């Protein structure tokens, strides 16, 4: 499995949100780091085929996703940064609805929802309306919907935002268990997410890829990953 991003650009009027972005991904966990407005979500939306690039290509297993998005979409799990919910549906009803849209059979779907609610520590709240969920609980429902179809390509935009430390650790364990033959891309502002999870880190600023390295390599010679990150985005350290 391979995801090849080549010379990707996205412009919103005068804003050049993603610039000449080239990256080749194989199974593993890529952590995307970058300041607010760096272009992380824009990049992820293009990879999830929600937004079209202004120019450049994305190839999934060799085929251009702008021309044939179906192969990628079939095996995609995506958590947008601004994940909306239906306040009157229960967590189970909402996940059944998303699962039906994804074409998952009823029996398999029920079993999958039960497993995911358990792994995300939501089993006790499955029948409650989402409108009454806390922010972190809603976020975990968002994670569950992204994982429903057991995706080979998982794109999660700030999945740990709003999670308390215990839930963050639980989520990281879940992703680590899932890894293997999958391409997982997640963005975060929490350096410890990257350190404990990522097999590769991409640092993005002003829409450009500034560094692409293993977290341990990135941090070598620096006091911490945060330190390495700050040096790169402030230009104190030349990009690799
Ligand atoms: N739909 C849009 N219309 C116009 N401009 C947009 C749109 N989406 C993003 N932008 C602009 O593109 C740039 C990149 O935004 P993006 O949301 O990708 O950043 P980000 O790295 O995800 O930031 P954050 O860490 O705050 O989530 C910003 O300048 C933003 O204002
Ligand atoms: Mg974002």
């Amino acid at each position: 499995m391979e995801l090849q991003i080549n010379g990707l650009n996205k412009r919103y009027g005068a804003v050049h949100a993603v610039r000449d972005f080239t990256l080749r991904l194989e199974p593993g966990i890529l952590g995307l780091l970058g300041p607010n407005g760096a272009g992380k979500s824009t990049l992820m939306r293009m990879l999830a085929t929600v937004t079209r690039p202004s120019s450049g290509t994305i190839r999934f297993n060799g085929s251009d996703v702008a021309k044939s998005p179906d192969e990628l979409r079939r095996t995609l799990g995506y958590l947008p940064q601004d994940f909306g919910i239906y306040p009157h549906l229960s967590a189970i009803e909402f996940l059944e609805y998303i699962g039906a849209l994804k074409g998952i059979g009823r029996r398999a779907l029920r079993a999958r929802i039960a497993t995911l609610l358990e792994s995300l520590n939501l089993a006790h709240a499955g029948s409650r309306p989402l409108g009454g969920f806390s922010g972190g609980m809603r976020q975990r429902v968002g994670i569950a919907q992204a994982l429903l179809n057991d995706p080979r390509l998982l794109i999660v935009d700030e999945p740990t935002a709003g999670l308390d430390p215990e839930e963050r650790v639980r989520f990281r364990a879940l992703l680590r268990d899932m890894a293997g033959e999958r391409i997982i891309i997640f963005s975060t502002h929490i350096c410890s997410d990257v350190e404990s999870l990522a097999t590769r880190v991409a640092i993005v600023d002003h829409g450009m890829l500034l560094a692409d390295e293993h977290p341990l390599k990135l941090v070598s010679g620096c006091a911490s990953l945060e330190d390495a990150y700050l040096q790169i985005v402030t230009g104190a350290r030349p990009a690799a």
Side-chain angles (χ1 to χ4, degrees):
M1 191 173 41
E2 171 193 85
L3 187 67
Q4 172 81 52
I5 306 165
N6 239 320
L8 204 65
N9 284 281
K10 180 69 185 183
R11 291 171 190 274
Y12 295 106
V15 178
H16 201 164
V18 171
R19 299 177 196 228
D20 289 328
F21 204 98
T22 296
L23 192 66
R24 181 172 173 274
L25 296 177
E26 288 184 331
I29 308 185
L30 176 78
L32 273 183
L33 281 178
N36 292 136
K40 304 178 297 296
S41 297
T42 306
L43 174 69
M44 294 173 115
R45 281 199 300 270
M46 289 191 282
L47 297 178
T49 73
V50 175
T51 306
R52 278 183 166 267
S54 305
S55 65
T57 55
I58 301 164
R59 289 181 180 277
F60 185 57
N61 295 333
S63 62
D64 186 339
V65 306
K67 292 180 187 135
S68 44
D70 289 355
E71 187 195 343
L72 182 147
R73 284 181 182 162
R74 250 196 309 277
T75 191
L76 170 73
Y78 174 52
L79 172 69
Q81 184 170 3
D82 44 4
F83 171 69
I85 51 136
Y86 296 76
H88 301 296
L89 294 186
S90 73
I92 291 174
E93 286 165 345
F94 173 70
L95 292 170
E96 284 178 347
Y97 166 65
I98 299 289
L101 291 181
K102 291 191 178 193
I104 306 169
R106 211 171 161 74
R107 277 179 67 155
L109 181 57
R110 287 215 165 137
R112 182 75 182 147
I113 290 172
T115 308
L116 283 171
L117 290 179
E118 196 65 48
S119 342
L120 289 158
N121 199 22
L122 284 172
H124 62 286
S127 303
R128 281 167 43 190
L130 293 171
F133 275 33
S134 74
M137 289 167 80
R138 288 181 196 193
Q139 185 71 354
R140 282 181 277 144
V141 174
I143 293 165
Q145 65 77 34
L147 298 179
L148 268 181
N149 57 339
D150 198 16
R152 301 284 119 184
L153 172 62
L154 178 66
I155 300 174
V156 279
D157 198 350
E158 298 198 28
T160 60
L163 298 192
D164 67 42
E166 198 181 341
E167 294 304 335
R168 209 181 306 146
V169 167
R170 191 191 298 273
F171 170 72
R172 289 172 183 168
L174 182 65
L175 273 206
R176 258 196 304 270
D177 287 352
M178 277 185 66
E181 273 309 297
R182 292 176 215 267
I183 296 176
I184 299 178
I185 305 171
F186 75 99
S187 64
T188 186
H189 291 291
I190 301 165
C191 286
S192 58
D193 283 347
V194 175
E195 279 177 307
S196 63
L197 204 54
T199 51
R200 194 169 165 186
V201 195
I203 297 182
V204 184
D205 196 11
H206 301 293
M208 291 182 290
L209 180 63
L210 298 187
D212 166 25
E213 289 180 43
H214 189 277
L216 288 177
K217 184 146 179 262
L218 194 67
V219 89
S220 71
C222 292
S224 63
L225 181 66
E226 216 151 31
D227 195 37
Y229 165 83
L230 288 171
Q231 285 188 22
I232 288 170
V233 298
T234 57
R237 174 173 161 183

